[in-house]
Amino acid sequence: MRLEIMAIVPLALLGGCVEGRSSMSLSPAPTVAVTAVAETEAVATRNADAADDPAIWRNAGDPQASLIVATDKKAGLYVYGLDGAKRSFIDAGRVNNVDLRDDVRIGGRAGILVVASDRSDPAHGNLALFRLDPVAARLEALGKIPALAGEAYGLCLYRAADALYAFLVMKDGTIGQIALDLEGATPQGRLVRTLHLASQAEGCVADDRSGRLYVAEEDVGIWRFDAGAAGPVEATAVAKVDRVRLFDDVEGLAIVPEGADGGYLVASSQGDNAYAVWQLVDEEYVGRFRIEAGAVDGTQETDGIEIAVGDFGPAYPRGLLVAQDGDNAPAAQNFKLVSWADVERALGRHPSERVAPE
């Protein structure tokens, strides 16, 4: 079903709506501040909106040797170390969003799969696939999979029991779910279903544990779909653009998993340079934070975000948040690295500071 009219959605579903009051008359919700620990080298494309979306590979054996893969949507893909230094670059054209999964069978052997939305042809969106070599910190191009008509925009991966899927979000709000077949010499994909939002969308993230897909419709809000290939296609509203908790444009989405199906959903509230957080289980609003200047400058107009939990070394003991910085003047755009423990602490969610119920 194509969702055309927001007014038909019950207000109770649109987290952030305040009954009886126009959001235009309200002030933004309280917003706490954190600072970045480090930043990446700037992308090479200057004087343009170029850096866009990151993905994180955690090296379980040596967390400080973990890697960040990030897009320059005018040119290709960078691989960075946790010190922010560029380890490599691959000329991949106009790749916009990126995601990865570890321990994937690629051509008969296990590897790290990186997939990006390829918008080089504005009339037809493709998936661009790569293998990440974690030792050399380099990407090897595997090929492209034709996907949907139109301009490719957002991208996220979903690992189900039966297959590995890519969700490709087209600029007009169409979302294609593509089953990936990586066993042969050339990657193949099969479109298994199509979902729809009514206007421009980009950011998406899928929860492999619960089988939920979250998509950001930029001027409207955040929607949830069943990620199963045979699941219903209707969308459920999670949060609306109310200019209190969530501002347009709604951009990158990330999940912070805890336990079997808990944790948080984090969204880039690009319109006011902030990030909004909801619980995953009940989708209750948690709070907002900004990345302000500290050891390095803060972030503005963030597009893509990614969060990975676990030990990434002393600077990131509980996880790593990577956020695109849309204004890194006088240099070109880049990405900021934030300790997830700092965000938890600022929001009053750090485990050591939680008060046990009486």
Side-chain angles (χ1 to χ4, degrees), residues 307-342:
I307 303 169
V309 296
D311 175 22
F312 282 82
Y316 312 100
R318 284 183 50 79
L320 170 66
L321 160 65
V322 180
Q324 183 259 10
D325 183 10
D327 184 2
N328 189 46
Q333 295 177 342
N334 71 347
F335 300 85
K336 300 300 193 279
L337 282 63
V338 178
S339 169
W340 179 247
D342 290 348

Side-chain angles (χ1 to χ4, degrees), residues 1-354:
M1 177 188 299
R2 187 171 179 86
L3 302 175
E4 300 289 354
I5 304 174
M6 279 294 296
I8 66 173
V9 180
L11 291 179
L13 293 176
L14 299 177
C17 188
V18 181
E19 184 176 354
R21 297 180 66 183
S22 166
S23 62
M24 296 299 291
S25 65
L26 299 178
S27 299
T31 306
V32 299
V34 298
T35 58
V37 176
E39 63 181 337
T40 68
E41 292 183 37
V43 300
T45 303
R46 299 182 60 87
N47 303 317
D49 179 22
D52 195 275
D53 191 50
I56 301 168
W57 174 73
R58 180 176 177 270
N59 186 331
D62 183 4
Q64 294 184 80
S66 300
L67 299 170
I68 299 163
V69 180
T71 62
D72 177 337
K73 61 188 177 186
K74 310 292 186 181
L77 287 160
Y78 286 87
V79 179
Y80 298 102
L82 293 192
D83 59 357
K86 183 185 79 171
R87 299 289 301 277
S88 66
F89 172 79
I90 185 169
D91 182 355
R94 300 180 68 226
V95 287
N96 198 56
N97 279 193
V98 65
D99 200 0
L100 62 79
R101 286 294 188 276
D102 203 343
D103 195 22
V104 174
R105 299 289 297 178
I106 307 171
R109 60 190 178 96
I112 304 166
L113 176 70
V114 175
V115 183
S117 56
D118 189 316
R119 61 194 296 197
S120 298
D121 180 356
H124 203 289
N126 297 308
L127 302 175
L129 282 72
F130 307 84
R131 183 198 296 269
L132 174 63
D133 180 339
V135 177
R138 292 186 176 275
L139 292 166
E140 171 196 356
L142 300 174
K144 294 184 181 183
I145 296 174
L148 295 170
E151 184 175 355
Y153 220 41
L155 181 286
C156 54
L157 297 177
Y158 169 56
R159 196 199 306 255
D162 61 334
L164 179 65
Y165 297 94
F167 287 100
L168 184 62
V169 182
M170 311 304 287
K171 196 169 186 178
D172 67 357
T174 303
I175 305 155
Q177 182 170 1
I178 299 104
L180 301 178
D181 179 357
L182 309 172
E183 285 299 322
T186 302
Q188 304 293 324
R190 177 174 58 89
L191 181 67
V192 297
R193 65 174 183 160
T194 304
L195 311 170
H196 296 279
L197 292 174
S199 64
Q200 183 168 309
E202 180 178 4
C204 75
V205 64
D207 190 339
D208 293 348
R209 304 165 306 158
S210 65
R212 292 178 168 185
L213 168 70
Y214 299 89
V215 184
E217 189 176 4
E218 294 190 1
D219 293 334
V220 178
I222 302 169
W223 299 89
R224 168 170 45 83
F225 292 93
D226 186 325
V233 299
E234 292 78 16
T236 300
V238 175
K240 68 171 290 188
V241 169
D242 58 2
R243 302 187 67 81
V244 176
R245 296 170 176 174
L246 190 62
F247 284 67
D248 49 328
D249 295 341
V250 188
E251 289 286 344
L253 298 178
I255 282 175
V256 184
E258 285 188 356
D261 59 359
Y264 305 100
L265 172 69
V266 183
S268 169
S269 179
Q270 188 185 72
D272 75 326
N273 305 320
Y275 310 85
V277 184
W278 290 263
Q279 293 181 159
L280 280 171
V281 172
D282 54 14
E283 294 172 354
E284 287 292 319
Y285 172 75
V286 171
R288 287 161 40 92
F289 65 95
R290 287 193 177 92
I291 303 172
E292 298 188 347
V296 298
D297 63 307
T299 58
Q300 294 79 36
E301 300 180 359
T302 292
D303 281 319
I305 59 173
E306 181 62 292
I307 303 169
V309 296
D311 175 22
F312 282 82
Y316 312 100
R318 284 183 50 79
L320 170 66
L321 160 65
V322 180
Q324 183 259 10
D325 183 10
D327 184 2
N328 189 46
Q333 295 177 342
N334 71 347
F335 300 85
K336 300 300 193 279
L337 282 63
V338 178
S339 169
W340 179 247
D342 290 348
V343 177
E344 288 183 307
R345 189 172 291 108
L347 292 171
R349 294 277 167 158
H350 197 278
S352 65
E353 298 170 3
R354 295 176 187 169

